[in-house]
Amino acid sequence: MKNIFKFILALALIVSGNIYAQQTPGDAQSGAISITGATAHIGDGTVIENATIVFDNGVITALGDSSTPTQGTVVNASGKHIYPGIIAPAKSLGLVEVNAVRASDDQDELGDFIPHIRSLIAYNAESKVVESMRPNGVLIGQTTPQGGRISGTSSIVQFDAWNWEDAAIKEDDGIHLNWPRSFRRGRWWVGEPRGFQPNKDYADQVGEIASFMNNAKAYGTGKGAERNLAFEATVPLFSGGKTLYIYADGEKEIIDAVNWARDNGIQKYVIVGGYQAYKITDFLKRNNVPVLVSQTHALPNFQDDDYDLPYKLPKLLDDAGVLVGIQNADMSNFQTRNMAFYAGQVVGQGMDKERALQLITGNNAKILGIDDMYGTLAVGKSATLFVSEGDALDMRTNILTHIFIDGRAVSLETHQTELWKRYSNKYGQN
Amino acid sequence: MKFRLLLLCCLFLGGQLAAQDYFPDNDSVKEQNTNYTAFTGATIYVTPTKVLKNATLVIRDGKVVSVGTNVTVPQNSIIVDASGTTIYPSFIDPYTEFGVKKAERAQGGGRSPQYSPSRAGFYWNDHIMPEYNAIADFKFDNKTAATMRKAGFGVVGAHRNDGIAQGTGVLVALNSKGDDADRVLNTAAGQYFSFDRSVASRQSYPTSLMGAMALLRQMYHDMRWYEAGNSNTTDRSLEALIEKKGMYAVFNAGDKGNDLRADKVGDQFGIQYVIVGGGDEYEAIADIKATKATYILPINFPDAYDVSNPYQADYVTLADMRNWNQAPANPKIMADNGVSFAFTTYDLKSAADFKGKLMKAIQYGLDKTTALEALTTVPARIIGMSETLGNLNPGAQANFLITSGDIFESSTTLYENWVQGTKNVINDRSVKDIRGTYTLMAGGKSYEMTLSGDAAKPKIEIAQGDTKFPAKLTYNDNWVIFSMTDEENNDIYRMTAAVVSSSNNLSGRLVLPNGRETSFNANQTAGPEEAEKEASGDNDEAPTMVDITYPNIGYGYSAVPQSQNILFKNATVWTGEADGILMSTDVLVRDGKIAAIGQNLSARGAKVIDATGKHLTAGIIDEHSHIAALAINEAGHNSSAEVTIEDVVDPEDIDIYRNLAGGVTSIQILHGSANPIGGRSAIIKLKWGESADNMIYNNTPKFIKFALGENVKQSNWQSYSRFPQTRMGVEQLYMNYFSRAKEYDAKKKSGANIRYDEELEVLAQILNGERFISCHSYVQSEINMLMKVAEKFNFRVNTFTHILEGYKVADKMAAHGVGGSTFSDWWAYKYEVNDAIPYNAAIMAREGVVVAINSDDGEMSRRLNQEAAKTIKYGGMSEEEAWKMVTLNPAKLLHIDDRVGSIKVGKDADLVLWTDNPLSVYARAQQTYIEGALFFDLDKDAAMRTAIQQERNTLIKMMLDDKGGKNGNKRRPGSRPKQRFTCETI
């Protein structure tokens, strides 16, 4: 065991080139790199054994079996596994550093309908939480404001950057709408019982959304109206320039949300959460709505639900033909590094491993609209990928040796590995 | 015995003499009415079991003089012909707030908690008020009295339901014609208790159920100490408690679990409380019976949920649906098990709802004699007035009901409710009961007519086949006036008739829509009983009751799983011992223990399970859990060593089942992290379906939770008034408490007279090495500090839990001998976890610290196997060492490794059969055993899923068919509260 430990350490040293180089973004790719001998998990459900993958200028130029010619620097990854970078939707990564420290929290602005609030400009490219994503293979995220009815506008970033401009992959990609709940939990702090109870204001709350959106639509068609930032930010929803992410879990809420979005000219919309989506898969398919389900590591919402309903929910939707990805909006940001294991959990429920990988790579890219460059390994797409000693979906074997984002070699080091080494050295453990 | 008989005779004779009135009277000449009133020809329930036909009851001056079939009616008697009626002792409700002013809610205070009491010269806690006397705030309430009398009640016990020790109540006859001198029967009737704080005080302590229990215990300890003359100061609360010791004590528990908790507190001090239950006692009837308590049962059976909207029906749990279906059987099940009980109207909106609920209990099979006892003799016994109340024996109070017949039939009319010899007419007996079904002939057409409901004010329904005609009826002074509308052309038919006693038919004048007058006839086809049935749509069939499970919620078992002898064949066995991982190995389980491990073991009658391709491990142990508890933090004091989670284990938490499905078999339920000195732990096995007490380990090791850092400093919320606010203060708090505990213990050991202090007792156990600390901790300074404090007092900290910077002082921890129970990868949620690293477990383990991975989270706890696997990724632990971090190591930390934690001959057969390498994210627990009993099984689980769906459908259909409660109301869908806890939940 101690040998493996040393081996990892040695690898880490090689890749980073400098033990304490954390947070120093990798240099732009300066020559072709070829990785050989690994099992390539493409992210679209397929695998190439003993694969060779070549990339240059940040883009994959060749991908195939061992007969594929190599170019430039060759990394021998025999016996290892290569994956597209994992994509984390709907997270406030980079917007909050320490949850309990208010000064470090920039994720939730005042106001209920604030689509003009933009996450990107507050994204902390040097966040210690963000860097801790990378050694687990999570390389891309949708940094997303939280709270309110419309929380604001997200952007998609990659996790190895000097600043937010460097980080941006897709600026202002979507607006995030928290759909009202027809049932809510009792507000115990004002003396209500804690259990579920019907939300009497549901219809009114839905009405407020409709009213806001109608105003935005009217604003978009008119000329000469005084400038309104919130409406202006909303207008692209009607042309497909932005995607609407609708957070809804209940069967009724999902149906209401989809019917509303479809009938009001929202061009692209996604259900986020979708706890009861498995009950209405035909409806979702008919309306061509993708679902970003919550992380599988969750308890059932209802006492009588199957204990493993959250584990198998992605499979239930996938089996029914719904496009499904995984997000963990409800969790603390640090948990996002466990994305791979959320997908692994579904394999225990009988899903094929490659298909499970899609839930956090290819499918998420498609749903977020970045599949032209990210989410799968393919010629012409970005070389955003990582190499793992073993099966990356399993905790036992998710041990990374190389990370590349847009072809740049990225450090495997973090604040945490630094402390690990410092104290291991103190005790002479390595 | 003879003496008592003599005494009775004296009483009997005495009853005949007018009570001597000592008040001067300046209004007139002083005179007395010494006439008797005799009720003749009635069926009389002298007691629920002594029924006399065609009997006579003689009363005078508010008391029964004589009763019997052969009674000589005194000459100066007013004789009331009561033939055809039935006379019952009127009902007694021992548990009401009748006429007693409610406590006023404390105002203001803002957000910062109040830690000190508001009073001086009383007990140190405002919620303890045994000195309170309800009579001081008593004002007879005529309106409620009338409602209660209408429901059949003659006497009520009344008290102020506020606080933990609530003081004494009063006993009142509902005699609106007399005054308090007549009707207040006892000004100091009973002591009352509950687990709920007083609304009148904002004093923080206790914030939890377990705190309320500890406070009650300390109150009784203090009472003894005070009684022995040890106090230098005056405490009016304790003085009152001492003075009232002989009174009956009523405990408002409110549900089956709290029934048992109240009884447990009582048992410790030799007090048998009368327990006010919650109506769910049937779910744990054996334990309820074992309390040997008399119960006061509320009768507020739940209305059906409105499940007409399927989306909304999802929000109603099977448990709540069952509760609707089963709760009316509670009284019957109590009676069948020989548990004595009285009824109360206490949690009904109005006593007017009482009869309907009572009828439901009878419909569910409650025996009528028991019902009558629960309303008369049992409450009389509870309040210590068996001689004079609840029966109609000579000498008893003349409190009785005159009815048209069996009082437990819905068609029966209550005519009069006599209280203390004064008459209260409920329904005029001279008014003929016209309820029934009729054939109405009017205007040449025939209709079906039903009169039902209140005999004095019947409701009318008129129909022709399926067509209903809106109708109205008034019935006054023996005249009935009614009308009927033909909606088709809005024609109104008006009818009037005089009711005569000689005929059951109605006939009289009919005014046709065109104003022409003619006559109508309505011939009675059936009497009141039939009409009631028709109107309510009820039939005589007892409702179908769905089965009770253990626990009585979805995924409960029909019986608690029992230990079996099992042979696992050909498994990959993770022993957790020196043998390591054994391939193709058999494990034999006998009598709940691991009997043999080896190749080709013979079954010898054991059930064989083919485990080929499967992995067999010891059950997972979670050192830090907060599931299965009703409270986690007692936040009212900065030290709460006196509370124990063992008092508040919740055996019905669905997360127990879900933990089993994740291969977890044992957990330590820790107190939260609100206080530097928290409360004691409960270490339990997840025996789903067992009672809380049966889940707790036998000879359980004794643990207590301590906490350091931001939570105990209250850093992350607005609270600036409680010591300590810094880590510096935390140390001194420990120094102070341990010094005091040491002095206390020394004094006690010297035989000196001490005030028993549960908190210091517990701390002294730590000093004496009898109790272990599991301490919530994050940063290295505080970890180091607590070890040094312990060393100063010559003991060792047992476990640091969370211990996220343990890696920084791992060498010191190893030297001290403390273990670490940590998260696999949590960090960044608050400032003190900034340097938390997932390599922590590996570094500590390599330094020789016993390391466990824990959850502190009801979700993560069910996949601790995966969390253990993360130590392979982070820090390169071997698979065997990783696995021990959730089995043998936590067992060691909890001092239960002689019983569980590995697969070793002689240890408990707490085993999990996995579909894959148990450290893999792909593995599922296929079966989970505790002591050889199968508590989780994928196949059983699949069957239960189907069964739950079916049962939900059945109950939903029944609820849709149900006609609802009062006015057809149904409950809006929703769920009963369920709270999930973490360390920080207050």
Side-chain angles (χ1 to χ4, degrees), chain B residues 428-554:
Chain B
D428 190 344
R429 192 148 65 93
S430 65
V431 174
K432 187 178 163 64
D433 188 352
I434 57 169
R435 292 175 303 166
T437 57
Y438 295 81
T439 304
L440 170 67
M441 298 297 296
K445 284 181 187 161
S446 168
Y447 304 87
E448 301 102 52
M449 179 170 88
T450 307
L451 307 184
S452 65
D454 195 336
K457 281 185 197 163
K459 283 184 303 191
I460 185 167
E461 274 175 39
I462 297 178
Q464 218 173 29
D466 289 339
T467 317
K468 283 191 175 166
F469 297 91
K472 277 185 212 157
L473 176 137
T474 57
Y475 181 36
N476 280 319
D477 303 327
N478 281 336
W479 276 86
V480 57
I481 304 165
F482 62 103
S483 63
M484 166 180 103
T485 308
D486 186 344
E487 280 180 319
E488 204 167 301
N489 30 26
N490 205 21
D491 285 342
I492 298 177
Y493 297 77
R494 288 173 293 155
M495 286 156 271
T496 58
V499 176
V500 292
S501 55
S502 56
S503 168
N504 286 338
N505 299 334
L506 302 171
S507 62
R509 174 183 290 177
L510 165 66
V511 182
L512 292 170
N514 59 15
R516 206 157 54 80
E517 295 186 2
T518 170
S519 64
F520 80 93
N521 271 309
N523 291 333
Q524 200 178 61
T525 49
E529 243 166 86
E530 197 61 32
E532 285 309 315
K533 268 183 206 164
E534 205 151 292
S536 63
D538 281 346
N539 45 35
D540 288 334
E541 282 172 43
T544 312
M545 200 175 111
V546 297
D547 290 341
I548 296 169
T549 62
Y550 301 92
N552 196 19
I553 71 171

Side-chain angles (χ1 to χ4, degrees), chain B residues 29-97:
Chain B
V29 177
K30 208 169 169 97
E31 280 181 314
Q32 285 196 345
N33 180 350
T34 55
N35 283 340
Y36 296 84
T37 307
F39 301 84
T40 60
T43 300
I44 300 177
Y45 282 76
V46 180
T47 68
T49 50
K50 185 179 171 192
V51 190
L52 308 175
K53 301 265 181 201
N54 196 16
T56 300
L57 173 72
V58 182
I59 65 166
R60 192 182 76 159
D61 198 26
K63 295 209 164 62
V64 176
V65 176
S66 57
V67 62
T69 47
N70 197 12
V71 169
T72 315
V73 178
Q75 284 191 337
N76 54 332
S77 291
I78 296 164
I79 294 175
V80 179
D81 177 9
S83 53
T85 69
T86 308
I87 296 180
Y88 294 91
S90 59
F91 302 157
I92 302 164
D93 186 340
Y95 196 81
T96 74
E97 295 174 281

Side-chain angles (χ1 to χ4, degrees), chain A residues 240-281:
Chain A
K242 278 184 185 175
T243 303
L244 185 63
Y245 292 88
I246 310 175
Y247 294 65
D249 277 312
E251 185 178 355
K252 174 180 165 57
E253 286 85 345
I254 297 170
I255 293 172
D256 284 347
V258 168
N259 285 339
W260 170 82
R262 183 195 59 225
D263 295 345
N264 284 278
I266 308 292
Q267 295 301 306
K268 292 183 194 162
Y269 46 94
V270 173
I271 291 294
V272 187
Y275 183 78
Q276 288 189 325
Y278 68 99
K279 295 187 170 190
I280 44 171
T281 49

